[in-house]
Amino acid sequence: MLMWRKVSSNGILIFILDFILLALAVYLGYAIRLGLIIPRYIDDWLHVTISLPSVTVIIFALAGQYKTIWIHAGTEDYIKFIWLYIISVLIFLLANNIFKISVFPRTSFAISFFAGIILCGGLRFSWLVTKSIHAKSSRRLKTLIVGAGEAGAFLARDLMRNVSELMPCAFVDDDPQKLGRHVSGLDVIGNTENLRDIVKTKNFEVVLIAIPSANGTKIKEIYNALSNLNVNVRILPSLRELADGQVSVSRLRNVKLEDLLGREPVKINLAPESNYIAGKKILITGAGGSIGSEIVRQVLHNNPAEIYALGHGEQSIYLLMESLAKLKINIPVYPVIADVADEIAINNLFENKKPDVIFHAAAHKHVPLMEFSAREAMRVNDIGTRTLARAAGKFNCERMVLISTDKAVHPSSVMGATKRLAEKILENVQSEYPETKFMAVRFGNVLGSRGSVIPKFEEQIASGGPVTVTHPDMKRYFMLIPEAVSLVIQAGALGHGGEIFVLNMGEPVVIKEMAELLIKLCGYEPYKDIDIIYTGIRPGEKLEEALFYDENAVRGTLHPKIFESKIKANQIGNNKIPDINKTLERAVNNPNEALNLLRELVPEYK
């Protein structure tokens, strides 16, 4: 019964054919050695004809050979077949030697052995040949693979092994040693510099980018070279997304904006002696947001004792907990619904749970909306930061990391000014509680976050346009959410208290060019199919953001992508500011005065 459970319905046919072919192999062994008519060895031949095929097909069945789908079989399946065949023959020889079943001349045995491999192996290979003939007869898209490395080779073999709409025909690769060579049976016919000419002259219909290690600049270069050629471009995900190492046709997807703008992610290097998360209680505020939820996920990879996911909106925390439930993690994550500015709720949380490390991501971040809500922005961004920081110091937390923004540098908006004030508050609390390490981290914009311009552009494109951009010269720094969060976690390991860290975010992106790129990715022509119009700079916005108050007052850190500002948050030249705590309380208690009091507290806000 066990044997038959390991045989599929199609496997029964192969089971029967194997027995017949192995019996034929035995006959060929005797006939070629002794002649077509073998009366002298007729009894021995009959015994071997029954026993050897029987032993072999039983071994095959028990090992699951008849469950294999041979039309999709790979090299490893054929190697397994050969080993099982050798094992079954050895078992037969051992049994024949012990029980003296028959006389099997050595020459006849050798002929039968190889005939069995050829006949049964040929039977299995015939399915692959049939599939190839079927694939060639069907309409397939002529495909070029960019990247003849390990990922490209795996992809080519997978495409050839499995029937799909894509027919791989050649590679291009920038390694000169691969030019003119063969990889997975395909020629390497050029490099990315002549990619456009190759696609045009060879009439390729699909181009697959199989370079998981390529950064956004390289992918954008390849994509631009193929523009206006009416060719479909697909890509393998990045190394970060291919964490499981699996490369196959199913992993291919269309090129996304993140691929073209993305840069190499920050590598987290928390050595055992510097892993401040392992075995600790971690509190993450704003945990339901795009940044906060990613912090939760990345912190989970560093073996904390438990996580407290705090958010003011119950729906976002509910969705976070639902997504974590699917991961089947063993580390407990507890939801906390609270307002970071609620001193009673925060102190109660710290008193009962005693977190060791805090990542403070909760904040009001929407620039235009906060222009009309100065009091609320100060209440959450500043009172909330102060409440959390004081609780961290009072209850002897090890460290607290505040997520700040590049808009805190020379702020022109209420949001930017309140985040600058939050940096100052953190520095003040550091002096009150020197045993706790407080630090801030500034980012630029992140792709895919709530309120990001990308979803807005996509919605406008889907509705037929136009796409609205505030100003043709508007520029912003962009990074991927995992990259930003990696910085937050790494900065927590680097900080000794009182630092403001900033990531080297590369060159700023022109928003107009981003809109044009997104329109192309959606299959349209900018200004022809989808128009772009300019609506004017909104309240609080600047054309460009800065990362530091003084680019000369910057020092490097142990991490090559992270810098530290030498200028402390409260160093504002000769400007004298009022007592932060008293003025902040006045602002929150007197909404009509909030904006003026914010200007007093942040003189650089203009």
Side-chain angles (χ1 to χ4, degrees), residues 21 28 53 65 100 111 130 229 231 256 275 299-300 329 361 391 434 479 509 564 573-574 590 592-593:
L21 292 174
L28 290 174
Q65 276 283 288
K100 307 298 182 183
I111 295 171
T130 303
L229 289 185
V231 60
K256 299 189 294 188
N275 190 345
V299 164
L300 282 169
I329 53 174
M479 67 178 79
V509 177
E564 180 189 345
N574 296 320
N590 299 277
N592 294 329
E593 296 183 41

Side-chain angles (χ1 to χ4, degrees), residues 285 340 360-367 370 377-378 380-385 400-409 411 413-427 440-443 500 549 569 598 602 604-605:
T285 72
V340 290
H360 181 31
H364 285 314
K365 306 180 184 74
H366 197 285
V367 172
M370 291 304 103
M378 295 176 75
V380 173
N381 295 359
D382 300 320
I383 294 286
T385 299
M400 171 177 167
V401 182
L402 164 69
I403 295 184
S404 189
T405 169
D406 56 356
K407 293 173 179 62
V409 180
S413 64
V414 167
M415 193 281 277
T418 57
K419 294 301 280 186
R420 176 61 173 166
L421 183 55
E423 294 177 353
K424 298 182 184 199
I425 290 169
L426 205 65
E427 188 173 301
V441 184
R442 289 182 191 146
F443 321 135
I500 296 177
Y549 273 86
L598 180 60
V602 187
E604 58 268 46
Y605 167 37

Side-chain angles (χ1 to χ4, degrees), residues 191-357:
N191 55 39
T192 55
E193 288 186 7
N194 51 27
L195 177 61
R196 186 177 179 87
D197 292 335
I198 290 173
V199 171
K200 287 174 66 176
T201 56
K202 302 285 187 179
N203 297 316
F204 284 107
E205 298 169 276
V206 178
V207 173
L208 307 180
I209 303 174
I211 318 174
S213 60
N215 59 25
T217 302
K218 183 62 179 177
I219 296 172
K220 186 176 180 180
E221 176 187 309
I222 294 170
Y223 190 82
N224 287 339
L226 300 171
S227 62
N228 304 321
L229 289 185
N230 195 29
V231 60
N232 182 247
V233 183
R234 303 181 197 176
I235 189 171
L236 275 178
S238 65
L239 288 173
R240 176 178 54 79
E241 295 175 89
L242 287 175
D244 57 2
Q246 296 297 314
V247 176
S248 67
V249 179
S250 63
R251 307 301 289 270
L252 287 167
R253 57 168 171 75
N254 291 331
V255 178
K256 299 189 294 188
L257 189 63
E258 289 89 332
D259 299 312
L260 306 181
L261 298 179
R263 305 180 300 110
E264 295 180 15
V266 175
K267 295 179 181 178
I268 301 177
N269 182 25
L270 296 182
E273 65 274 10
S274 63
N275 190 345
Y276 63 97
I277 293 174
K280 300 298 175 66
K281 297 178 180 180
I282 313 297
L283 170 63
I284 299 165
T285 72
S290 49
I291 291 289
S293 60
E294 180 65 17
I295 294 176
V296 172
R297 293 184 182 92
Q298 290 199 25
V299 164
L300 282 169
H301 291 303
N302 288 278
N303 301 312
E306 54 194 35
I307 293 176
Y308 298 98
L310 186 150
H312 194 212
E314 60 179 347
Q315 179 66 8
S316 60
I317 296 297
Y318 169 77
L319 293 175
L320 169 68
M321 299 305 295
E322 285 288 293
S323 68
L324 295 179
K326 297 176 183 177
L327 300 179
K328 297 180 180 178
I329 53 174
N330 296 321
I331 297 167
V333 180
Y334 301 105
V336 180
I337 305 300
D339 185 336
V340 290
D342 184 341
E343 189 172 352
I344 295 175
I346 295 301
N347 282 335
N348 183 62
L349 173 66
F350 275 75
E351 185 175 5
N352 291 313
K353 304 303 181 183
K354 294 181 173 55
D356 301 300
V357 179

